[in-house]
Amino acid sequence: MNEGLLENPASVRGPLEEDMEVDEEVLKSTNNTLTEDEERTGVRDSGKEKSSSGARAPSISLDIQKNTRSAPLAGSGQTEKVPGAAADEAPVDWFEPLEDDDYEDDTQGWNLEESVAGSERSGSYFFCIIIYFFHARFSVHRRKKKVSVEEGWEDWPALGAGWKRKAVVRRSGSSVGQSDVYYMSPSNERVRSRVELSKVLAGTLDMTMFDYKAGVFRGAGQPKPLRGRRKVIKKWIPCGNCRACLITEDCGSCANCKKALNPDSRNPVRCRKRKCLCPIRKVQIDGRKKEMKKISSLTPQYSDPEDFSVNVDIEDDDEEKRKRRSCGNCEACNSRTDCGTCDFCIDKPKFGGSNKKRQKCRLRQCQRQAMRHLLPFQLGQTDFGSQEGWVQLGRPRPHFTYSRKTNPKKSKTQQLEVDLDFDDDDDDLLQDEEDDRSMDTVSSITQIFSLAASAGPSGIEQDHELLKLLESLRSSALPTLWFAIMVEGPVLQLLQCSKLSHMVDTTLHIDQGFCYYICVQGQPLLLTHSLYESHPSRLTSVAEVVALLLDLEKYNVCQGVPTVEQRFSQAAVIIERASTCDFLVLKETEHCPNCKALSCD
DNA sequence: GCCAACGTTGGC
DNA sequence: GCCAACGTTGGC
């Protein structure tokens, strides 16, 4: 790059040509000789020195106490005092550009050291001072430009050494033009709001007078200017003319009508069949109507009862993108309760997380349109482990299908390919109604979502004792990657979250009476299983639960056996189990006696 | 291709 | 002003 710059002087100025115009104009008007000297010596070829030496030249520095400035002698490494430079006359900005960071990228700023060196070669210290003066005087402007070109972060000493600030203007969407201000702590912690900033600086700075947006502290004599805040109301209103609006009676059977019957329902919702097909966008600012825009195109699908916007043709591509991940109708979309236990919930600040993932609770991801890796049943993409564990809870299934694989791990993947073949394409998720297995699975997902969604006040509060056990379990050290959740019933469920565990398909269910049972791949473990013998009939304490979980880890899931007709086939193999399959067998065993007997037939 | 990380934007 | 979370990106 630098070689190119040297060959072509026109390219020397590079992308910061505009930024430099002020400096150049001033410099030219002050001393034309400087420009000539600059052209002769290539002073502004900021990349030149770096390319030739690869090292930074010594910086000019201020010696305030001695009331002198010292400039480096080219090539000597020595400095020479510059008399007559009164430090107390220097504006604050004079000092700031001397920070090392400002000169690190020579390709974007002009190189002071070379300027000084070039001046020195001409034997004129005066040039040195003039150059220094203008460099320092205007370098703030240039530095801002430089930072914005690179990454937009600007040093912000008002918050202390090492702090940075960045203002970002929104470039699209309905809030285009609005600016957001971010700060970066010395430890590179990104701060997005005043609240976060106060947390980061807690105990070190009083932030009460800090103007977050401007980035300055407002003193008592400099009160923060009061800005009249506009009240803006945006809403969609029914057009009153479309087919849906002309229906005068509620159907009484749709979800919204049922919701309306609920006395606890805060907001009345319109019957879905009467929901306007072409609503009007109404914007009021300070009580005055500012804008009304009718959406002309129709989309017949239902949408979220309180959100007309889902129902309209979206004019803006970005908005459409945003909507397409949420159908607005499924159980997950309508759920307002975070499970508080999935990895996305744990990441949330309100659950004490660090806000890195920034995703919606897995149980609230749209069942129809969410990206696959966000769903709670994605094998290999979730801490919740097996899809089977989520999809098949409580779902009886007499036979299990497997591909012919010797590697047990691969076998499990193949199994999922058969069971969850709908998963290949999100868009086809609910469309293939002929695929019974898929629909069965989706039904189960819906059930799980439903359970989770209603596991809030109505379920959990019914049984404080069970809730207490849940809390105790969560505050205790359970066997590796076992996790407790509460679902409708209420029922306490313990899940093995590691997909590497043999117990990934096994769940422990504890009901309100602390009676329990074990499910393996959705099948309840027969009460005659020996595992039950060594444990009490009710699990009332953490210790009892832990003992059972530890015991469970001693087992494998029975692998079943291939059906006779498929045993020598190269095609996908159907594995079946005996109707009296034990499901759980001790680790050194692959099959339970009953399945083994099948294979001997 | 997957996914952690995060820039960005909508909504309250 | 702040939070929630969508969509992109870069590392692996």
Side-chain angles (χ1 to χ4, degrees), chain A residues 40-78:
Chain A
R40 180 176 58 76
T41 60
V43 165
R44 298 204 179 187
D45 182 0
S46 55
K48 184 176 173 182
E49 180 173 288
K50 207 168 190 177
S51 67
S52 59
S53 66
R56 291 172 49 199
S59 297
I60 194 169
S61 60
L62 284 176
D63 189 334
I64 301 172
Q65 288 183 339
K66 295 180 182 177
N67 203 23
T68 60
R69 295 198 186 100
S70 57
L73 289 170
S76 68
Q78 299 173 343

Side-chain angles (χ1 to χ4, degrees), chain A residues 302-425:
Chain A
Y302 284 137
S303 65
D304 183 271
E306 278 79 36
D307 184 8
F308 274 124
S309 60
V310 180
N311 221 9
V312 303
D313 254 11
I314 306 300
E315 295 178 343
D316 183 68
D317 285 347
D318 290 341
E319 194 173 355
E320 184 172 20
K321 277 184 190 173
R322 218 171 173 81
K323 298 292 181 191
R324 73 185 181 196
R325 297 297 174 201
S326 176
C327 72
N329 297 321
C330 67
E331 296 277 357
C333 283
N334 288 317
S335 168
R336 295 288 177 267
T337 310
D338 289 334
C339 73
T341 58
C342 71
D343 51 341
F344 291 157
C345 280
I346 291 170
D347 173 64
K348 293 177 187 296
K350 68 180 180 183
F351 292 117
S354 56
N355 201 29
K356 287 183 177 174
K357 297 177 185 296
R358 297 178 196 162
Q359 299 298 320
K360 190 160 64 174
C361 168
R362 285 193 183 273
L363 296 183
R364 294 178 53 217
Q365 298 285 347
C366 178
Q367 296 165 35
R368 295 174 180 165
Q369 292 165 219
M371 288 186 286
R372 280 183 291 174
H373 72 275
L374 301 174
L375 295 170
F377 50 80
Q378 276 300 301
L379 179 68
Q381 297 181 21
T382 166
D383 292 338
F384 285 82
S386 167
Q387 298 184 20
E388 296 281 297
W390 280 96
V391 170
Q392 298 187 14
L393 292 177
R395 182 161 72 99
R397 206 170 56 154
H399 296 287
F400 298 84
T401 54
Y402 295 84
S403 295
R404 181 188 294 278
K405 296 285 179 186
T406 52
N407 182 330
K409 193 175 178 182
K410 283 192 173 181
S411 174
K412 186 171 288 180
T413 305
Q414 291 293 323
Q415 174 189 352
L416 289 167
E417 286 174 3
V418 175
D419 288 348
L420 303 171
D421 51 358
F422 70 93
D423 203 15
D424 288 338
D425 188 343

Side-chain angles (χ1 to χ4, degrees), chain A residues 565-577:
Chain A
E565 61 272 21
Q566 300 248 343
R567 219 164 276 168
F568 304 103
S569 167
Q570 293 300 312
V573 175
I574 298 174
I575 302 290
E576 66 177 3
R577 289 183 173 138

Side-chain angles (χ1 to χ4, degrees), chain A residues 506-559:
Chain A
T506 302
T507 52
L508 169 61
H509 300 239
I510 306 173
D511 67 18
Q512 298 175 72
F514 296 102
C515 296
Y516 71 96
Y517 64 97
I518 295 160
C519 268
V520 181
Q521 295 177 341
Q523 294 276 29
L525 190 67
L526 294 176
L527 292 174
T528 53
H529 196 283
S530 58
L531 185 64
Y532 291 111
E533 294 175 4
S534 48
H535 297 275
S537 58
R538 295 167 70 241
L539 299 176
T540 57
S541 68
V542 172
E544 289 171 349
V545 172
V546 167
L548 181 59
L549 296 180
L550 288 172
D551 214 0
L552 272 172
E553 293 286 358
K554 297 175 185 171
Y555 287 82
N556 273 341
V557 175
C558 173
Q559 298 296 301

Side-chain angles (χ1 to χ4, degrees), chain A residues 172-193:
Chain A
S172 62
S174 60
S175 56
V176 63
Q178 182 179 330
S179 67
D180 297 308
V181 173
Y182 305 111
Y183 293 89
M184 181 88 79
S185 76
S187 56
N188 288 335
E189 191 173 355
R190 192 180 160 94
V191 175
R192 301 153 182 268
S193 65

Side-chain angles (χ1 to χ4, degrees), chain A residues 425-573:
Chain A
D425 188 343
D426 290 334
D427 297 335
D428 294 332
L429 184 63
L430 295 178
Q431 294 179 359
D432 188 2
E433 295 187 1
E434 294 178 4
D435 189 335
D436 290 336
R437 283 177 308 211
S438 295
M439 291 308 294
D440 192 13
T441 304
V442 171
S443 170
S444 295
I445 295 170
T446 307
Q447 183 184 2
I448 299 304
F449 274 71
S450 176
L451 295 177
S454 57
S458 60
I460 295 177
E461 287 175 5
Q462 288 177 3
D463 196 321
H464 291 291
E465 293 303 315
L466 199 59
L467 187 58
K468 277 202 291 192
L469 179 57
L470 173 71
E471 289 170 352
S472 300
L473 288 168
R474 287 192 177 170
S475 59
S476 305
L478 296 180
T480 308
L481 290 176
W482 280 95
F483 202 81
I485 63 170
M486 188 75 85
V487 300
E488 191 178 48
V491 173
L492 186 54
Q493 285 189 1
L494 284 117
L495 313 170
Q496 171 52 256
C497 296
S498 168
K499 51 182 173 283
L500 300 177
S501 168
H502 295 285
M503 288 296 103
V504 67
D505 296 332
T506 302
T507 52
L508 169 61
H509 300 239
I510 306 173
D511 67 18
Q512 298 175 72
F514 296 102
C515 296
Y516 71 96
Y517 64 97
I518 295 160
C519 268
V520 181
Q521 295 177 341
Q523 294 276 29
L525 190 67
L526 294 176
L527 292 174
T528 53
H529 196 283
S530 58
L531 185 64
Y532 291 111
E533 294 175 4
S534 48
H535 297 275
S537 58
R538 295 167 70 241
L539 299 176
T540 57
S541 68
V542 172
E544 289 171 349
V545 172
V546 167
L548 181 59
L549 296 180
L550 288 172
D551 214 0
L552 272 172
E553 293 286 358
K554 297 175 185 171
Y555 287 82
N556 273 341
V557 175
C558 173
Q559 298 296 301
V561 293
T563 55
V564 175
E565 61 272 21
Q566 300 248 343
R567 219 164 276 168
F568 304 103
S569 167
Q570 293 300 312
V573 175

